[in-house]
Amino acid sequence: MTPNQADWPPITDDEPRLVTETGVDARVAARIEPVMNAEGFRLVRVRLSGQNGATLQIMAERADGTMTVEDCEALSRMISPILDVDDPIDRAYHLEVSSPGIDRPLVRRSDFARWRGHIAKVETSVLVGGRKRFRGTITDVDDQAVTLFRDQPSMGDENTNQIPFNAIADARLILTDDLIRASLKADKAARAARGLEDEFDEFSGEGPDPEVS
């Protein structure tokens, strides 16, 4: 199912994220998110990992869902001085700015609404119907919850699960051929609206990963 951008919910900079960070990641997010919003970017996720020494991953996008290589470079230049001054991380690290990717995390209500009709994996912080892990097609989104129609139900399990947003600990889209096609189409439309060239190869559907190392 290809999302129709005309039907996508309006995006506002102050739409709260359902899934947020803790510890050092939360301190970084608190410092950079207001600046990002002021410049037209939306924070998706902050994650400090120990890979290759220490890597601080900032995952971001514009309100229309695009995130070009140039956007990543601009955002990296924007937030580096902030982190240098505030210094929320007590060790040397490598800054990596990237787009959410096709199998993206779902961190806002509007993310679920935009990708209705595609398969997501959701983990909750508390038991919901006796479970904490869910997988299925996003069929409905309201102010309080997302509904998934399970694509791999076990014998005797409910086919449909309604998951309250305030119980979600982690959620992301599952990579499928339909999602790839829908994502490329949505990205192409958004880039055209911004007057940008299409980064993806017309025949292979492949393009550079918008990531700054």
Side-chain angles (χ1 to χ4, degrees), residues 195-213:
L196 302 174
E197 294 181 359
D198 190 0
E199 288 184 345
F200 294 92
D201 182 87
E202 180 179 357
F203 298 101
S204 68
E206 298 178 351
D209 183 17
E211 178 177 295
V212 174
S213 300

Side-chain angles (χ1 to χ4, degrees), residues 175-188:
L175 194 65
T176 65
D177 289 343
D178 284 345
L179 178 61
I180 292 172
R181 286 190 291 267
S183 297
L184 295 180
K185 183 175 181 178
D187 183 81
K188 184 174 183 178

Side-chain angles (χ1 to χ4, degrees), residues 28-183:
V28 172
R31 285 161 172 77
I32 67 174
E33 191 164 15
V35 177
M36 291 175 57
N37 289 346
E39 297 298 324
F41 294 98
R42 302 205 314 160
L43 180 63
V44 175
R45 186 179 70 190
V46 173
R47 178 171 292 173
L48 180 65
S49 70
Q51 295 180 353
N52 302 319
T55 298
L56 178 64
Q57 182 195 51
I58 309 296
M59 193 175 286
E61 64 185 346
R62 291 192 177 274
D64 61 8
T66 61
M67 191 67 178
T68 67
V69 173
E70 292 76 16
D71 287 334
C72 289
E73 293 171 346
L75 184 55
S76 181
R77 291 192 298 268
M78 186 188 310
I79 63 180
S80 289
I82 299 171
L83 297 176
D84 289 342
V85 171
D86 289 343
D87 198 19
I89 303 173
D90 60 0
R91 51 183 163 146
Y93 62 90
H94 169 72
L95 177 62
E96 177 184 284
V97 179
S98 70
S99 73
I102 294 178
D103 53 341
R104 56 165 299 141
L106 303 169
V107 299
R108 292 178 170 88
R109 176 188 173 279
S110 59
D111 293 339
F112 290 91
R114 283 186 168 200
W115 297 103
R116 185 185 287 110
H118 292 280
I119 300 173
K121 180 171 63 175
V122 178
E123 295 186 12
T124 60
S125 56
V126 296
L127 289 173
V128 176
R131 305 173 56 88
K132 282 191 172 183
R133 292 181 175 85
F134 304 86
R135 171 182 161 134
T137 301
I138 302 170
T139 58
D140 189 41
V141 180
D142 59 30
D143 290 340
Q144 303 298 323
V146 57
T147 301
L148 300 183
F149 184 82
R150 297 182 63 187
D151 64 325
Q152 299 175 338
S154 300
M155 183 70 69
D157 285 347
E158 295 288 338
N159 287 333
T160 300
N161 296 111
Q162 188 176 59
I163 306 167
F165 285 130
N166 61 11
I168 293 177
D170 187 61
R172 67 168 46 250
L173 292 173
I174 298 294
L175 194 65
T176 65
D177 289 343
D178 284 345
L179 178 61
I180 292 172
R181 286 190 291 267
S183 297

